């Protein structure tokens, strides 16, 4: 298992200048390699990352001598990254690689495991020396590599470490999760997690900072200061959102072995001009991605319930469906006289969480039958106290 630990760096002004120059070399090499790849491809040739690297090294000392002022990985790794990017593009897994702009792209460069050394709260980098780390490396294992990036005004290093696979512990408990905007998550157990809406809270400050930025003269120092203020605000919002999502998904993965979630069409939701910003602020896609990764590491299982499953419109007790239900109806009222919840208002999201759990367990039953080749429809039925 490969885990990454992102640590903040505390470089001196000279060291920060080195990082900026190394990131500039990596960006320049990427753009040169991409332009040469496109030229050779249009000429009918078959370019590869290795061929481009040899071609660049042949002219490097004469045409680009300044690229030797930083670590060699800054100019070597972009070729490998470009090769992987084109492989993913030709397989239909990603978009075609594009050129990197100095203004819009994030400054970053890679370090191989033989190009740096870790000490007590410090890191040694070729042609630079020791750089202070904000904390020690959290994981113990074989270091695979590191990537140094800049976010807002701060430099970070993400160190990849290969650690032994942990023995998963099976947890019999199961839970269903209904996600939304009013509440970030409502569990089938009745627990509720409020949507903090960090972007909405900081929107006034962001608007003021952006106005201040666009009033400044292009290329001036005041404009750069205003740009950094906007970047710091965005970084703070990201950190607050990540903190909530990380803690929530860790708690769920540690507590439950089976987790049912709705398979929402997130790209379609982001096309709604009225709710797109709210959905982006909630970051439901990150929530599901983190949950899947952490559950797999802990021996759990995340079951995706079909997006068209009427979890909110169906009574979790008797199965009666409220077809005329709208988004304004925040409480579910069952109209089935034979249902124990007849005419009893229950929270809409809690009812949906119960239905998501039951559907997830039903799907697991069907999966078990398909694997074993035995069983009947009665085996897939859910007991009333399954939660």
């Amino acid at each position: 298992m490969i885990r990454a630990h992102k640590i903040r760096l505390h470089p001196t002004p000279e060291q920060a200048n080195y990082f900026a120059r190394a990131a500039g070399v990596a960006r320049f090499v990427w753009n040169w390699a991409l332009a040469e790849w496109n030229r050779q491809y249009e000429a009918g040739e078959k370019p590869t990352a290795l061929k481009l690297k040899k071609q660049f090294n042949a002219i490097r000392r004469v045409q680009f001598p300044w690229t030797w002022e930083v670590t060699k990985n800054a100019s070597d790794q972009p070729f490998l990254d470009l090769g992987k990017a084109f492989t993913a593009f030709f397989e239909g897994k990603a978009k075609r690689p594009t050129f990197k702009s100095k203004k819009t792209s994030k400054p970053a460069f890679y370090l191989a495991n033989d190009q740096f050394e870790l000490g007590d709260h410090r890191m040694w980098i070729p042609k630079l020396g020791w750089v202070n780390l904000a904390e020690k490396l959290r994981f113990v294992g074989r270091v695979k590599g590191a990537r140094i990036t800049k976010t807002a005004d701060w430099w970070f290093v993400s160190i990849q470490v290969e650690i032994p696979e942990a023995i998963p512990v099976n947890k019999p408990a199961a839970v269903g999760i209904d996600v939304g905007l009013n509440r970030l998550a409502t569990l089938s157990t009745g627990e509720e997690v409020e949507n903090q809406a960090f972007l909405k809270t900081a929107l006034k400050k962001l608007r003021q900072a952006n106005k201040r930025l666009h009033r400044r003269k292009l290329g001036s120092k005041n404009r750069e200061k205003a740009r950094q203020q906007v970047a710091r605000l965005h970084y703070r919002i990201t950190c607050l959102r990540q903190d909530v999502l990380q803690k929530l998904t860790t708690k769920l993965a540690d507590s439950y072995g089976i987790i049912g979630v709705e398979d929402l069409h997130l790209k379609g939701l982001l096309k709604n001009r009225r709710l797109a910003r709210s959905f982006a602020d909630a970051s439901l896609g990150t929530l599901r991605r983190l949950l899947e990764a952490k559950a797999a590491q802990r021996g759990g299982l995340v079951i995706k319930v079909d997006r068209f499953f009427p979890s909110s419109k169906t009574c979790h007790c008797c199965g009666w469906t409220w077809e005329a239900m709208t988004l304004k109806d925040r409480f579910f009222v069952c109209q089935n006289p034979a249902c124990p919840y007849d005419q009893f208002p229950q929270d809409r999201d809690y009812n949906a969480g119960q239905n998501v759990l039951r559907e997830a367990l039903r799907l697991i039953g069907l999966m078990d039958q398909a694997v074993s080749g035995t069983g009947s429809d009665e085996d897939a039925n859910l007991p009333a106290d399954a939660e």
Side-chain angles (χ1 to χ4, degrees):
M1 179 190 305
I2 296 180
R3 301 290 298 274
H5 186 190
K6 190 174 183 179
I7 307 174
R8 181 175 169 180
L9 298 170
H10 295 298
T12 63
E14 294 77 12
Q15 292 172 341
N17 179 265
Y18 175 93
F19 290 157
R21 287 188 288 118
V25 169
R27 182 183 63 253
F28 170 80
V29 173
W30 168 279
N31 291 338
W32 181 92
L34 179 57
E36 188 64 21
W37 184 299
N38 292 337
R39 186 192 67 79
Q40 294 183 13
Y41 188 80
E42 292 175 358
E45 303 178 19
K46 295 183 178 180
T48 63
L50 183 59
K51 291 180 181 179
L52 292 177
K53 183 179 178 181
K54 291 182 178 180
Q55 182 181 347
F56 180 80
N57 289 335
I59 62 175
R60 180 178 179 181
R61 292 188 180 275
V62 178
Q63 298 187 19
F64 316 115
W66 47 271
T67 59
W68 292 99
E69 298 176 359
V70 295
T71 174
K72 66 176 184 178
N73 287 148
S75 55
D76 291 346
Q77 187 64 28
F79 293 101
L80 302 178
D81 294 339
L82 183 64
K84 294 178 181 178
F86 269 108
T87 300
F89 167 69
F90 290 131
E91 292 178 352
K93 299 179 181 179
K95 295 182 180 179
R96 187 181 182 87
T98 58
F99 293 98
K100 295 183 179 181
S101 170
K102 183 178 180 180
K103 295 182 179 180
T104 58
S105 62
K106 178 181 290 189
F109 64 96
Y110 179 81
L111 290 173
N113 58 355
D114 61 341
Q115 290 293 304
F116 68 95
E117 180 182 347
L118 295 174
D120 185 20
H121 284 84
R122 60 179 186 169
M123 177 182 184
W124 184 86
I125 300 176
K127 301 181 181 180
L128 180 62
W130 292 100
V131 182
N132 181 264
L133 298 176
E135 57 180 314
K136 293 182 179 179
L137 183 62
R138 185 185 305 136
F139 307 117
V140 177
R142 181 190 174 193
V143 177
K144 302 287 290 184
R147 190 174 292 272
I148 295 179
T149 58
K150 185 180 182 182
T151 303
D153 296 337
W154 304 288
W155 288 94
F156 297 86
V157 58
S158 181
I159 305 174
Q160 297 85 37
V161 184
E162 185 178 14
I163 61 177
E165 289 279 354
I167 301 177
V169 179
N170 293 327
K171 308 175 188 66
V175 68
I177 305 175
D178 179 72
V179 296
L181 298 181
N182 291 333
R183 286 194 292 266
L184 180 63
T186 304
L187 309 186
S188 58
T189 59
E191 184 179 354
E192 300 174 355
V193 180
E194 293 300 323
N195 182 14
Q196 302 293 329
F198 296 108
L199 177 60
K200 182 180 179 181
T201 304
L203 204 55
K204 182 178 179 180
K205 290 184 178 180
L206 272 175
R207 285 171 175 166
Q208 292 174 346
N210 276 295
K211 285 183 180 179
R212 193 178 302 111
L213 170 64
H214 291 289
R215 286 169 181 164
R216 299 295 181 261
K217 185 178 179 180
L218 287 173
S220 65
K221 292 184 177 180
N222 286 334
R223 185 180 179 87
E224 178 61 21
K225 292 179 182 179
R227 186 198 64 78
Q228 291 177 357
Q229 183 181 7
V230 174
R232 285 194 295 268
L233 282 172
H234 279 292
Y235 178 66
R236 174 176 172 78
I237 294 170
T238 302
C239 289
L240 292 171
R241 184 187 297 121
Q242 283 290 326
D243 181 67
V244 171
L245 295 178
Q246 293 282 357
K247 290 179 179 178
L248 173 61
T249 52
T250 299
K251 179 182 177 181
L252 293 173
D254 288 338
S255 304
Y256 302 100
I258 300 174
I259 303 174
V261 295
E262 293 178 296
D263 186 19
L264 299 177
H265 183 39
L266 300 176
K267 289 185 178 180
L269 295 175
L270 292 176
K271 293 180 181 179
N272 187 325
R273 60 183 299 269
R274 295 181 180 273
L275 299 176
R277 187 171 62 197
S278 298
F279 278 116
D281 193 11
S283 193
L284 301 180
T286 303
L287 172 64
R288 189 177 65 186
R289 177 178 57 81
L290 292 174
L291 195 58
E292 292 176 350
K294 293 182 180 182
Q297 293 172 2
R298 292 161 174 80
L301 183 63
V302 175
I303 302 297
K304 297 180 183 178
V305 176
D306 188 83
R307 67 187 64 164
F308 299 110
F309 175 71
S311 59
S312 298
K313 297 183 178 181
T314 304
C315 177
H316 74 275
C317 183
C318 66
W320 179 81
T321 303
W322 185 1
E323 297 292 349
M325 190 178 190
T326 63
L327 287 175
K328 295 181 180 180
D329 299 317
R330 302 314 305 170
F331 290 92
F332 182 88
V333 181
C334 183
Q335 302 294 334
N336 185 6
C339 179
Y341 289 92
D342 179 31
Q343 302 299 327
F344 180 76
Q346 50 184 322
D347 184 81
R348 170 198 181 113
D349 296 334
Y350 170 74
N351 176 67
Q354 291 279 351
N355 287 322
V356 170
L357 171 61
R358 292 174 176 271
E359 179 67 11
L361 293 178
R362 187 187 71 84
L363 294 175
I364 290 180
L366 295 177
M367 291 167 55
D368 293 340
Q369 292 180 25
V371 172
S372 61
T374 59
S376 60
D377 293 339
E378 297 180 355
D379 297 333
N381 291 336
L382 180 68
D385 58 347
E387 61 270 16

